[in-house]
Amino acid sequence: MEIVIEPFKPEHIGLIEEFYNDAKALEELLRQRPEYPQLLYHAGPAFSGFDWHGTYLGSFGMGKYWDGVGKLWLILDKKVSKHPKAFHRLFRDRMDLWYSMYNLVRLFTDVSAHDPRAIRWIESFGFEREGLQKSYGPNHEDYYLYARVIPWQA
């Protein structure tokens, strides 16, 4: 099944019925920083995905740090699990597009050290673990720093 995408809007986060990734941390982050969806909106290119029935599946985007470097973010509803291949393909295609559009050398993200599913998923895109960020999350949980560096552009 295909996924319909549209530009991310902060109110999309409010459509989440049940967080898929890092639920407790995301709930706490939104409690502590209710303006967070607005910050994501202004950070850089971002998209939201919906199934053909208009059901919200999740949002992802990239904030530009400086030339050639971006930080990836991803917030998903549990319903995305009904469309794993389509969402995987959409995410990969957008990420590859960002590399070429923004001349990226490095894209990085944070992944919960306690979420093996998220770790496998990010590694499937060629991201490599660079280190452990102790007490990094909004609930002081540990996160891994992951990055995908394109060596021929570095």
Side-chain angles (χ1 to χ4, degrees), residues 37-51:
Q38 197 69 30
L39 295 172
L40 295 176
Y41 177 74
H42 292 290
F47 300 91
S48 293
F50 297 82
D51 70 13

Side-chain angles (χ1 to χ4, degrees), residues 64-128:
K64 285 190 69 186
Y65 261 53
W66 40 78
D67 288 348
V69 178
K71 181 166 185 182
L72 181 67
W73 62 267
L74 177 75
I75 299 176
L76 301 175
D77 189 287
K78 203 160 195 156
K79 293 182 193 92
V80 77
S81 62
K82 295 178 182 177
H83 311 280
K85 290 181 182 176
F87 194 85
H88 188 94
R89 189 171 46 251
L90 169 67
F91 181 78
R92 181 197 63 225
D93 292 349
R94 287 291 158 174
M95 189 174 56
D96 289 346
L97 181 66
W98 291 337
Y99 270 95
S100 63
M101 280 181 67
Y102 299 105
N103 296 314
L104 293 179
V105 174
R106 173 186 176 86
L107 191 57
F108 68 99
T109 193
D110 310 305
V111 178
S112 172
H114 307 289
D115 190 346
R117 179 187 58 213
I119 291 168
R120 284 191 307 274
W121 191 75
I122 200 68
E123 289 176 350
S124 76
F125 293 102
F127 281 75
E128 296 180 7

